[in-house]
Amino acid sequence: MSKVNILDSRTIIQKQQLADEAHSAVDFFYLDNDFHKSFYTATNRLQVWNWLKNLSLQLDRYRFLRVQQADMPLDELIKQHNAILDAVEAKDRKEAETRAFDHLNLMLAEKDELVKQFPDYFIEEANH
């Protein structure tokens, strides 16, 4: 990842902090997408990002609902983004992978609570 891409990503994180301070979940959500997209752009994989975006409508609905929760730890997401970017900047691939894995797991760990709060938004399969 070039210095320019890292600077762009850090700018996105700063904007996320402002969105968090302003309690703007909508802005935070779109900035979160921009942060993730920046990694695909920096690695010349924008076509993969576009493909994923077309396939991930349900995931985006979940993520959007998630960031709108009053108790959603947006500051924790910001810390995770910084940790991922720090590892990338240090060219520590193993650490970057670990931090990205932790970032994904935070979302999955909160799934049950979100489903409990909004059962009508989710469809459970009978006898799965």
Side-chain angles (χ1 to χ4, degrees):
M1 194 171 214
S2 74
K3 294 268 187 211
V4 171
N5 298 120
I6 289 174
L7 181 59
D8 288 345
S9 296
R10 294 236 183 258
T11 300
I12 293 168
I13 292 171
Q14 290 173 342
K15 289 178 180 179
Q16 285 181 308
Q17 290 170 325
L18 293 172
D20 182 24
E21 291 167 12
H23 305 287
S24 177
V26 173
D27 288 339
F28 189 93
F29 176 80
Y30 288 111
L31 288 163
D32 195 52
N33 277 346
D34 290 346
F35 179 79
H36 295 155
K37 180 180 178 182
S38 72
F39 282 86
Y40 289 89
T41 302
T43 57
N44 295 317
R45 302 284 193 276
L46 192 55
Q47 73 278 8
V48 175
W49 170 260
N50 292 330
W51 177 74
L52 288 171
K53 290 304 297 168
N54 287 332
L55 292 176
S56 65
L57 181 60
Q58 295 299 333
L59 178 60
D60 279 352
R61 286 180 184 163
Y62 169 78
R63 288 177 53 240
F64 189 75
L65 182 62
R66 180 175 164 248
V67 299
Q68 290 189 62
Q69 298 313 298
D71 59 348
M72 177 66 208
L74 298 181
D75 59 329
E76 181 62 26
L77 294 177
I78 292 168
K79 286 178 194 173
Q80 288 182 342
H81 285 173
N82 274 314
I84 293 167
L85 201 52
D86 289 345
V88 168
E89 189 171 23
K91 295 181 174 47
D92 187 340
R93 183 178 179 165
K94 180 73 172 156
E95 183 68 11
E97 289 173 357
T98 298
R99 295 299 170 199
F101 183 78
D102 291 346
H103 185 58
L104 289 172
N105 277 330
L106 178 63
M107 179 179 67
L108 295 175
E110 296 166 343
K111 177 184 73 80
D112 291 339
E113 184 59 34
L114 198 62
V115 170
K116 191 185 305 178
Q117 287 179 13
F118 300 96
D120 294 340
Y121 285 42
F122 301 95
I123 299 170
E124 285 191 54
E125 293 181 36
N127 301 321
H128 56 279

